Amino acid sequence: MSRRGFRPGPGAEAIDPDVDLHVPAQRAEPQGRVLVAVAVGGAVGASARYGISLIWPAAPGAFPWATLWINASGCALIGVLMVLISEGGRSAPHPLLRPFAGVGVLGGFTTFSTYAMDFSRLLDEGEARSALAYAGLTVVAALGAVWAAASVTRLAVRGRGPGAETDPGPGRVVR
């Protein structure tokens, strides 16, 4: 079935919340602007990642802390960005924000290729324990960072920060 003919059923979530296929102009929107936004954002993110790796290089056989930090912090920023875009409650964000910041900048900043190269380098240098620790720690740190950042941002957006009064929900009383 073509994308034009697809209409999600009741309660179904849209595949791309930035595009409403019911709006003819958005169905036929040219992708050139999106590609440019992703490319420019990617150049910014990759340059930042490369700059950090120059400032904080991993010596031969050493644990690649810079890449771990980059991937974990980038995932945290992705969590914040996605909550702000999808649940921010304010006016709709610019349609190029997610392609530029999410896919481009943060996609270029966090990278599986550098993670894989660091893992391979550690194995080649006989540091199997470090390689396995790095592989596991990166996954845990990245997933934990995106979850924690999204959760905290979601609470802040909903006004449930520390000390804020909240709606206790049906049948519950705030004391």
Side-chain angles (χ1 to χ4, degrees):
M1 178 183 288
S2 72
R3 282 184 64 143
R4 283 189 174 184
F6 178 74
R7 292 193 188 262
E13 187 173 324
I15 293 172
D16 186 349
D18 297 334
V19 176
D20 183 352
L21 296 178
H22 299 97
V23 178
Q26 289 185 11
R27 280 197 310 253
E29 182 177 323
Q31 296 299 307
R33 296 177 342 152
V34 174
L35 292 174
V36 169
V38 170
V40 170
V44 170
S47 296
R49 181 189 71 245
Y50 180 67
I52 291 170
S53 72
L54 291 177
I55 293 168
W56 192 6
F63 197 87
W65 288 107
T67 306
L68 177 83
W69 179 86
I70 287 166
N71 286 333
S73 64
C75 284
L77 292 171
I78 289 170
V80 170
L81 178 68
M82 291 303 120
V83 168
L84 291 177
I85 286 174
S86 64
E87 302 173 26
R90 297 204 165 99
S91 62
H94 192 282
L96 295 177
L97 177 62
R98 190 173 68 164
F100 172 76
V103 178
V105 174
L106 295 173
F109 186 64
T110 61
T111 178
F112 187 75
S113 61
T114 303
Y115 166 66
M117 288 298 299
D118 286 341
F119 179 78
S120 178
R121 178 185 55 81
L122 286 169
L123 286 177
D124 290 345
E125 293 170 352
E127 299 292 337
R129 283 189 202 166
S130 291
L132 291 173
Y134 172 62
L137 186 57
T138 297
V139 171
V140 169
L143 292 175
V146 74
W147 174 80
S151 297
V152 169
T153 304
R154 195 169 283 117
L155 288 173
V157 165
R158 292 180 182 163
R160 288 193 240 168
E165 289 188 29
T166 62
D167 177 9
R172 295 192 177 160
V173 178
V174 175
R175 296 180 194 240

